[in-house]
């Protein structure tokens, strides 16, 4: 009996059903190109310190591109490492309090590199349930046994680690991107010391906001430079550029250079991004008050919004999360804010681990009092009926 040959036009027919399901659930995502200068007040980006357009940051990018060219031209191990990359790595490590650093093309790539290079089939990776998708994907790719434990629960982490006899790694965000809450790093570190595990912390939302002068959450917890601690971070948030980095003991960084696939097989970070990040880092070192200002803005937003009756998570850094009644209403709320001249983030499943949709606000250090007032007024005025308890 002759076999039926499928029509090539039907190969992706399954996508139609998936799209209909997303539309029904209010989970459709779309790209929205922005102009060079947006008329919207920005509380959606991760530009915590307002440095992405700072003249020194832009000049750092421009001078790097003019001096080194538009691209890195190859992987870091071939032609993609410039003197600028090495300079950025030295200054990042010194600023954050670590022995060495390795710069990669993104924070996502940095997490994949760290998790996969520091674990194997005999390793237990204990991962917080609220960790970023890049950590989750790193666990999946690592071939290690992974135990996902309750959010911000050192006792749960201890229980999982104590049941494993071999090499182990506890991995957590320092500040979780959904609600802006901080991990109990001191308690996690005590667990790791007691059981002989390594501690890997993604400090993407801590750098530039927490610690002395913005040196990060690990610096604030007194853990920077500890021999069992490794940090990852991004250059795209507080430093207003692009790229990521892994920081830790020098032998760990040497190990990543030789084993981390997202480092070895990826084109190096563009010189312009490295130059911009280095300029921002030096600016932060001169103006450490920017970190304090970002936290103060977050506290003010939280206080004003909760006083108005909205449900918001108390911020531990610069992320302010405001709960919405449902995914479709969160989407409409964000759209109404945009129509009123305010750009806010909209987090819906699967981006939220608890299934609760939110508006996510970025507390930028360069927001004025008038801009904060305007943002609060807009969010409260456009809130859906079920947003207040």
């Amino acid at each position: 009996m002759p076999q039926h040959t499928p029509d090539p036009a039907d190969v992706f027919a399954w996508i139609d059903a998936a799209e209909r399901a997303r539309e029904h659930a209010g989970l459709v995502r779309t790209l929205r190109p922005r102009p060079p200068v947006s008329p919207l007040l920005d509380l959606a980006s991760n530009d915590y310190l307002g440095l992405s357009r700072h003249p020194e940051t832009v000049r750092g990018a421009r001078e790097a591109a003019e001096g080194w060219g538009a691209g890195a031209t190859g992987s870091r191990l071939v032609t993609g490492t410039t003197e600028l990359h090495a300079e950025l790595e030295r200054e990042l490590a010194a600023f954050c309090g670590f022995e060495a650093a390795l710069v990669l093309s993104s924070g996502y790539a940095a997490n994949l590199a760290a998790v996969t290079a520091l674990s194997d089939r005999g390793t237990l990776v204990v991962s917080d349930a609220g960790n970023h998708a890049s950590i989750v994907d790193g666990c999946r790719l690592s071939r290690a046994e992974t135990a996902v434990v309750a959010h911000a629960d050192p006792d749960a982490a201890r229980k999982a680690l104590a049941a494993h006899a071999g090499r182990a790694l506890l991995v957590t965000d320092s500040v979780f991107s959904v609600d802006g809450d901080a991990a109990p790093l001191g308690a996690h570190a005590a667990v790791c010391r007691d059981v002989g595990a390594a501690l890997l912390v993604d400090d993407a939302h801590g750098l530039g906001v927490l610690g002395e002068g913005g040196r990060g959450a690990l610096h604030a917890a007194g853990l920077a430079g500890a021999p069992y601690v490794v940090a990852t971070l991004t250059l795209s948030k507080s430093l207003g550029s692009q790229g990521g980095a892994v920081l830790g003991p020098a032998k760990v960084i040497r190990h990543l250079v030789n084993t981390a696939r997202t480092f070895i097989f990826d084109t190096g970070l563009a010189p312009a991004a490295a130059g911009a990040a280095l300029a921002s880092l030096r600016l932060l070192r001169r103006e450490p008050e920017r970190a304090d200002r970002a936290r103060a803005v977050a506290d003010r937003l939280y206080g004003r919004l909760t006083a108005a009756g909205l449900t918001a998570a108390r911020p531990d850094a610069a992320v302010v999360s405001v709960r919405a009644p449902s995914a479709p209403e969160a989407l409409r709320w964000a759209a109404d804010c945009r129509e009123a001249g305010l750009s806010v983030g909209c987090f819906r499943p699967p981006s939220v681990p608890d299934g609760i949709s939110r508006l996510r606000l970025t507390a930028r250090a360069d927001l004025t009092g008038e801009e904060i007032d305007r943002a609060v007024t807009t969010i409260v005025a456009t809130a859906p009926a079920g947003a207040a308890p």
Side-chain angles (χ1 to χ4, degrees):
M1 185 174 180
Q3 291 185 336
H4 171 69
T5 301
D7 185 341
D10 294 335
V11 169
F12 295 119
W14 59 271
I15 291 179
D16 298 331
E19 286 184 338
R20 288 192 296 271
R22 282 193 293 269
E23 289 172 358
H24 179 73
L27 299 179
V28 174
R29 286 159 168 78
T30 57
L31 296 175
R32 188 176 296 107
R34 60 179 174 85
V37 180
S38 174
L40 302 179
L41 175 59
D42 174 25
L43 265 73
S45 76
N46 291 316
D47 191 13
Y48 293 139
L49 303 184
L51 296 182
S52 68
R53 289 182 174 273
H54 193 283
E56 292 187 30
T57 303
V58 174
R59 183 167 62 250
R62 182 179 65 248
E63 291 178 353
E66 290 173 346
W68 297 100
T73 75
S75 69
R76 289 288 307 274
L77 288 170
V78 184
T79 59
T81 295
T82 68
E83 295 170 359
L84 189 63
H85 290 81
E87 194 172 3
L88 174 59
E89 288 165 344
R90 286 193 298 270
E91 295 198 23
L92 265 177
F95 181 77
C96 296
F98 286 85
E99 190 175 10
L102 186 68
V103 167
L104 293 92
S105 60
S106 71
Y108 209 110
N111 273 338
L112 293 182
V115 175
T116 57
L118 296 178
S119 62
D120 57 20
R121 293 187 189 277
T123 306
L124 172 67
V125 179
V126 175
S127 178
D128 188 290
N131 278 343
H132 188 265
S134 56
I135 295 176
V136 175
D137 286 352
C139 292
R140 291 169 175 169
L141 291 170
S142 69
R143 298 174 298 173
E145 176 188 352
T146 299
V148 179
V149 296
H151 177 54
D153 189 340
D155 291 335
R158 181 184 293 275
K159 183 178 180 180
L161 289 165
H164 181 74
R167 183 148 46 101
L169 175 70
L170 172 56
V171 57
T172 180
D173 286 0
S174 65
V175 177
F176 295 90
S177 61
V178 174
D179 273 338
D181 57 318
L185 293 183
H188 280 330
V191 170
C192 289
R193 289 194 299 269
D194 290 346
V195 303
L199 177 61
L200 173 60
V201 179
D202 178 357
D203 204 20
H205 297 276
L207 176 68
V209 178
L210 300 178
E212 180 188 351
R215 284 172 169 78
L218 285 161
H219 192 278
L223 296 171
Y228 59 95
V229 174
V230 175
T232 59
L233 51 83
T234 178
L235 313 178
S236 63
K237 293 180 173 60
S238 287
L239 299 185
S241 182
Q242 187 173 352
V246 183
L247 294 79
K251 63 182 177 182
V252 169
I253 300 306
R254 291 195 300 269
H255 177 69
L256 263 67
V257 168
N258 285 275
T259 62
R261 293 172 66 85
T262 54
F263 174 81
I264 296 171
F265 297 104
D266 193 17
T267 298
L269 184 67
L278 186 57
S280 288
L281 182 64
R282 291 169 175 172
L283 180 61
L284 175 58
R285 204 161 49 210
R286 294 199 317 273
E287 300 179 2
E289 66 276 5
R290 287 179 180 267
D292 296 333
R293 172 62 181 168
R295 295 196 305 274
V297 171
D299 289 340
R300 184 169 175 181
L301 284 168
Y302 167 78
R304 294 280 303 279
L305 292 169
T306 53
L310 299 179
T311 301
R314 183 180 295 276
D316 287 327
V319 172
V320 181
S321 175
V322 186
R323 292 199 171 194
S326 67
E329 287 181 289
L331 192 61
R332 285 194 295 270
W333 195 359
D336 289 343
C337 285
R338 192 179 309 112
E339 185 68 23
L342 175 67
S343 177
V344 297
C346 180
F347 275 32
R348 298 163 288 155
S351 300
V352 289
D354 56 8
I356 299 173
S357 296
R358 300 157 168 83
L359 295 189
R360 180 184 178 276
L361 315 178
T362 298
R364 295 198 341 262
D366 60 339
L367 289 177
T368 66
E370 181 181 352
E371 288 171 329
I372 295 171
D373 293 343
R374 175 183 156 197
V376 169
T377 299
T378 301
I379 293 166
V380 172
T382 57

